[in-house]
Amino acid sequence: AIDAHRLVTMPKKKKKSKAQLEEERRLQEEAEAAARAEAERLRLEKEKREAEELARWKEEQNQLREAELELLCNEFQAHKARLQAKSALLKREIAEKEEAEAWGWFLKCDTKINARDDADLNTFLSQTAETRIANLGDALDRAAYTASIALDLRRVMVEAKARGAAAKVSSCAEFLGRLYASNTDKLDFATARLLHLSDRYFDASSNEIMVVQASKQNDVALNPVSFGVWVNHEKRGFRMKTLDFTRVGIQCEVPKPIAPHRVAVRNIFVPYDEQSFAVGYMDAEELDSPYLVLGGTYFVDIFEMPPAMRTAKAFEMRPVTKLADEVNRLSYPALTPLSAEESRGAPATHAPFIRCLFRIPEGVRVSEEPIVGWWNDLERHWETEGIEEVEFSEEKRILRFHTLRVGAYSLLKTRVEDVPYQSFQLMVMDLAGSDYMTEIDGLPPPQKFAGQTRPECVRFSLTLRNGVRVVADVGETRCRLVQPTIPRLSGKEMPVSELVQRLGEVGIHIMPSDADAQRASQPNSSTPGICVKTALLEEQIYEEVASVAASFDIQNCSVNTALGAGKCVFSIRETSVFTGGNEMTLDFSSCLIEEDAGSTLSCNAPGKGIAPGSGVKSTVIRQAEKDGKPVEMDAFNGATSHLYLENALAKDASPEAIERVQQSSVVFQDNIQRLLRLTRPFSFC
């Protein structure tokens, strides 16, 4: 039972009066207003403090910027006369060198056309256009001679690119196009005359009309021009006909669709690229190609035959048509005039293949999976569609493939296979006989260059994307390939521009273009494209690096490619090669070369102007990459920048090093600039 007396009931809560509620609301509003007022006071104090701090920071940045610009302007004025004298000296040295070369050419009494002389080239081309060569042997020899002139002209073109002479590059490309076109015209005319008189080449023992011939070798750097033609002079059945031109390094097997037609099949190999020779030299959309041509060009052509000769008693009667002087190319497998085709689209897949073979010149590097391409005349680029069963015999240097088209074929290599570079070095060498590099890299020590009396020499090293390492010793005017070993290249002295070009001809591409940068990608990145440095920045880097190359070692920095187009970072140190043979080396520092307009201090203090001269400045800090740890870019903030790299290095460098820099040959510096301008390691590494 529940004790009713024990039950406790809570008293009812007294309801607040209206006055009490109003008082509580008033007090709450007063508290909230006080809190808002306090928050506003704190905000205003913070804003005032931040504004004061920002004003102090801006004033500090303005003062720093003004001091920096004053320093840069003083440097510009202090070095202006010296740089003008240096430029004048270089022009004088180059003019004297060119004059000596021209005089040497004159003294040789060489009848060969001088590829450096536009008047000589124009005269040769005019005389060639007026001359029609009917004899095949003479036409082949003329083609080889023209190819030799074109080779010299290509050396002039790459030298012009190394100098940055765009107008000369364009002029050389125009001349090359005319030279190659003249070769095509001469060989086509000689072929037309041969086909017009084809019955005179009939071999009764084999019941064949076949002519196989090669040019004389006018230039040791070039393979001969090879020629083979077969005439299907009578309709006869065959499943596959082998046209054996192998004694001149070419061969073709024509299939059954050719058998019932009176046509001629011609194979030609020329030791040059007459289609895409300007790719990589000039920036133009129509000159863009993802491929590099290796070794030369192989042509497979099918021609309509002129009307056959008839005999009447002792007379030969030959109908004279336009085919007596010109050829009419036919398509395959339709065997209709090639000029009438509106498109070079997909080939007829039901047709049997034409089987082709040609010899690859010695020294050309062929990959395990070789690429063969055909030249699309209408769209002006190389294509690989329709080419199958590509095989290469390293022992015999023979390349085989099957195709469904006629036209020009070449062994190709993708231009981005070698870029971006894995690493780059420019190391000071001692021509007095130092052999320390043998202990470091296992490479032979540098040797003196013929005719060079000055001590300047560097060892230039690139490790390509595919792992190939290219090493060359660079002197005052020449260079010498150290690695890899390549016939007719290794150990031979030549201009740096010629070495870079000849490496490209054998399949080592170290002359990348902006178009290559768009197709290439960084390692471990699926996004295509490399951000190259601006033309202004690149050019200034070449000049600054070349100016100190006599005393300072330089190598790539891993963060460089991530900095964008207006900044470049690399590692640099004073060489120890002249003090103890580099047995104990100094630590690397980091160098930032950037466009002043985009620098941190310039952006922090806008409206103060930009650096004089080129508008590019250099900053050196003692921090560098070590044990895989990248340099911290923030470390450059607050460091003193200089207009010239020499001044940025002078604080920590020895007086002897700076003296070597100031006394180094301007021709040597120009030679380094040319090499860097072609290989572009500061954009592609």
Side-chain angles (χ1 to χ4, degrees):
I2 300 177
D3 190 349
H5 296 287
R6 293 180 179 273
L7 291 176
V8 179
T9 58
M10 298 294 296
K12 291 184 179 181
K13 189 174 181 181
K14 187 177 181 181
K15 187 176 181 181
K16 290 182 180 180
S17 67
K18 185 176 180 180
Q20 289 176 325
L21 291 174
E22 184 65 25
E23 179 66 16
E24 288 181 0
R25 182 184 63 76
R26 185 185 64 77
L27 292 174
Q28 183 177 356
E29 287 178 352
E30 288 179 355
E32 290 176 354
R36 285 195 300 270
E38 179 65 16
E40 179 66 12
R41 185 184 66 80
L42 294 174
R43 183 185 69 80
L44 292 174
E45 286 184 359
K46 181 180 179 183
E47 285 183 357
K48 181 180 178 181
R49 186 170 59 254
E50 289 177 348
E52 291 173 350
E53 290 176 355
L54 179 61
R56 284 195 298 271
W57 178 82
K58 284 184 176 181
E59 180 62 25
E60 178 185 342
Q61 294 298 305
N62 286 333
Q63 291 176 0
L64 290 173
R65 179 62 174 165
E66 289 170 358
E68 180 184 62
L69 287 174
E70 182 180 2
L71 173 64
L72 298 179
C73 289
N74 290 338
E75 279 191 43
F76 180 73
Q77 294 300 327
H79 284 71
K80 188 175 182 179
R82 175 186 163 193
L83 292 176
Q84 289 175 344
K86 178 180 174 181
S87 177
L89 177 59
L90 177 60
K91 289 180 180 178
R92 187 166 63 251
E93 294 270 7
I94 291 176
E96 291 176 356
K97 177 176 176 288
E98 291 176 350
E99 184 179 350
E101 289 177 349
W103 181 244
W105 183 279
F106 176 78
L107 291 179
K108 285 196 307 182
C109 298
D110 195 340
T111 58
K112 185 179 179 182
I113 299 300
N114 185 357
R116 297 182 181 276
D117 190 331
D118 289 358
D120 258 14
L121 290 169
N122 275 317
T123 301
F124 172 75
L125 286 165
S126 298
Q127 293 175 345
T128 299
E130 297 169 358
T131 306
R132 308 188 81 180
I133 305 175
N135 180 273
L136 177 62
D138 293 341
L140 290 172
D141 289 344
R142 172 56 68 94
Y145 178 66
T146 303
S148 180
I149 297 171
L151 178 65
D152 293 344
L153 187 57
R154 291 196 67 213
R155 305 291 186 245
V156 175
M157 182 165 72
V158 72
E159 181 183 314
K161 182 175 175 66
R163 297 199 319 266
K168 183 63 176 178
V169 171
S170 179
S171 173
C172 290
E174 181 184 353
F175 276 121
L176 280 171
R178 294 170 63 189
L179 287 170
Y180 293 144
S182 75
N183 263 4
T184 300
D185 292 343
K186 291 292 177 287
L187 293 174
D188 281 354
F189 179 74
T191 301
R193 298 305 300 167
L194 185 152
L195 298 182
H196 185 63
L197 304 172
S198 61
D199 54 279
R200 297 184 181 179
Y201 297 91
F202 177 72
D203 184 355
S205 62
S206 61
N207 193 31
E208 295 279 10
I209 299 178
M210 184 179 292
V211 179
V212 184
Q213 199 165 341
S215 66
K216 298 174 184 176
Q217 192 164 1
N218 290 310
D219 195 313
V220 294
L222 284 173
N223 283 53
V225 177
S226 301
F227 179 99
V229 67
W230 168 78
V231 176
N232 191 20
H233 64 97
E234 62 180 16
K235 296 180 180 180
R236 48 185 170 176
F238 56 78
R239 184 175 181 182
M240 189 67 70
K241 173 70 175 177
T242 299
L243 310 183
D244 187 4
F245 310 139
T246 50
R247 71 181 180 87
V248 293
I250 51 180
Q251 181 177 296
C252 184
E253 295 181 13
V254 293
K256 186 177 181 180
I258 302 293
H261 299 277
R262 187 171 177 271
V263 295
V265 179
R266 185 185 72 175
N267 286 186
I268 291 180
F269 177 81
V270 293
Y272 50 78
D273 166 24
E274 71 173 65
Q275 281 78 25
S276 54
F277 58 87
V279 171
Y281 289 89
M282 297 185 295
D283 295 327
E285 185 176 347
E286 64 273 14
L287 296 175
D288 188 20
S289 173
Y291 296 110
L292 193 70
V293 173
L294 306 180
T297 311
Y298 169 76
F299 293 87
V300 181
D301 292 302
I302 302 175
F303 298 127
E304 178 187 354
M305 284 295 294
M309 179 269 295
R310 298 180 182 276
T311 58
K313 296 184 179 180
F315 295 94
E316 293 182 354
M317 294 183 293
R318 299 179 187 276
V320 178
T321 67
K322 65 177 183 178
L323 294 180
D325 294 328
E326 61 185 61
V327 294
N328 184 25
R329 288 174 167 82
L330 304 177
S331 64
Y332 177 82
L335 297 181
T336 56
L338 194 61
S339 58
E341 288 189 331
E342 296 182 358
S343 172
R344 297 294 297 273
T349 55
H350 62 276
F353 284 100
I354 300 173
R355 302 175 184 176
C356 303
L357 169 158
F358 66 97
R359 184 178 297 119
I360 301 299
E362 291 292 331
V364 174
R365 301 164 75 91
V366 183
S367 65
E368 295 181 359
E369 298 182 0
I371 303 172
V372 174
W374 61 277
W375 179 252
N376 187 322
D377 290 321
L378 297 182
E379 299 182 14
R380 309 299 298 169
H381 61 230
W382 291 102
E383 295 189 14
T384 58
E385 180 190 9
I387 299 175
E388 298 185 8
E389 299 190 37
V390 180
E391 297 177 356
F392 176 69
S393 170
E394 179 67 41
E395 181 181 357
K396 298 181 180 179
R397 305 290 300 171
I398 295 297
L399 182 68
R400 304 174 186 270
F401 62 94
H402 294 180
T403 182
L404 291 170
R405 289 184 174 88
V406 292
Y409 291 86
S410 283
L411 174 65
L412 305 176
K413 174 183 177 177
T414 54
R415 294 172 61 88
V416 297
E417 186 178 325
D418 295 338
V419 292
Y421 308 131
Q422 293 185 30
S423 65
F424 153 69
Q425 282 187 329
L426 198 66
M427 310 295 284
V428 182
M429 295 286 105
D430 182 7
L431 285 177
S434 171
D435 60 355
Y436 74 93
M437 284 299 292
T438 303
E439 300 175 3
I440 297 175
D441 281 348
L443 297 174
Q447 303 298 317
K448 292 183 179 180
F449 291 90
Q452 179 171 327
T453 57
R454 297 184 61 89
E456 289 92 352
C457 178
V458 296
R459 177 156 286 180
F460 174 80
S461 174
L462 283 177
T463 302
L464 310 186
R465 178 171 187 160
N466 57 15
V468 174
R469 187 166 181 238
V470 178
V471 181
D473 290 337
V474 185
E476 188 175 20
T477 61
R478 316 281 280 181
C479 71
R480 186 186 295 114
L481 181 65
V482 179
Q483 190 183 37
T485 301
I486 299 175
R488 297 193 293 196
L489 276 183
S490 298
K492 183 178 179 181
E493 292 184 22
M494 63 187 70
V496 294
S497 55
E498 182 177 342
L499 176 62
V500 171
Q501 187 182 60
R502 292 180 68 174
L503 285 172
E505 290 169 355
V506 300
I508 300 176
H509 178 46
I510 57 172
M511 194 173 72
S513 65
D514 286 352
D516 295 338
Q518 295 175 9
R519 295 189 184 93
S521 60
Q522 295 291 352
N524 304 319
S525 174
S526 59
T527 305
I530 295 174
C531 182
V532 299
K533 310 306 176 186
T534 64
L536 170 67
L537 181 61
E538 271 196 290
E539 193 61 34
Q540 196 62 27
I541 293 170
Y542 306 149
E543 183 175 344
E544 294 301 320
V545 167
S547 71
V548 301
S551 289
F552 292 86
D553 299 331
I554 292 166
Q555 68 180 23
N556 66 289
C557 187
S558 64
V559 300
N560 176 53
T561 53
L563 296 180
K567 299 177 185 289
C568 177
V569 171
F570 54 88
S571 299
I572 189 167
R573 71 180 177 193
E574 181 181 339
T575 183
S576 301
V577 68
F578 302 110
T579 55
N582 231 37
E583 291 183 2
M584 295 184 64
T585 59
L586 301 174
D587 291 334
F588 276 103
S589 297
S590 293
C591 176
L592 168 65
I593 298 184
E594 60 183 334
E595 292 182 354
D596 180 58
S599 66
T600 301
L601 192 53
S602 177
C603 294
N604 290 343
K608 295 296 181 180
I610 59 173
S614 65
V616 173
K617 62 185 181 183
S618 303
T619 310
V620 176
I621 59 173
R622 297 300 297 268
Q623 185 186 128
E625 288 188 340
K626 194 171 185 179
D627 300 327
K629 184 180 179 181
V631 63
E632 296 178 4
M633 295 304 298
D634 289 342
F636 287 100
N637 296 335
T640 302
S641 297
H642 293 268
L643 203 61
Y644 305 106
L645 180 57
E646 174 190 333
N647 292 348
L649 295 166
K651 178 182 177 182
D652 297 318
S654 67
E656 293 80 9
I658 299 302
E659 183 180 1
R660 280 193 302 272
V661 165
Q662 294 174 348
Q663 295 181 356
S664 66
S665 162
V666 293
V667 178
F668 168 73
Q669 294 177 36
D670 181 62
N671 205 30
I672 298 297
Q673 279 186 252
R674 296 185 183 203
L675 178 61
L676 297 176
R677 192 176 288 122
L678 291 174
T679 56
R680 304 181 68 182
F682 297 101
S683 278
F684 286 85
C685 187

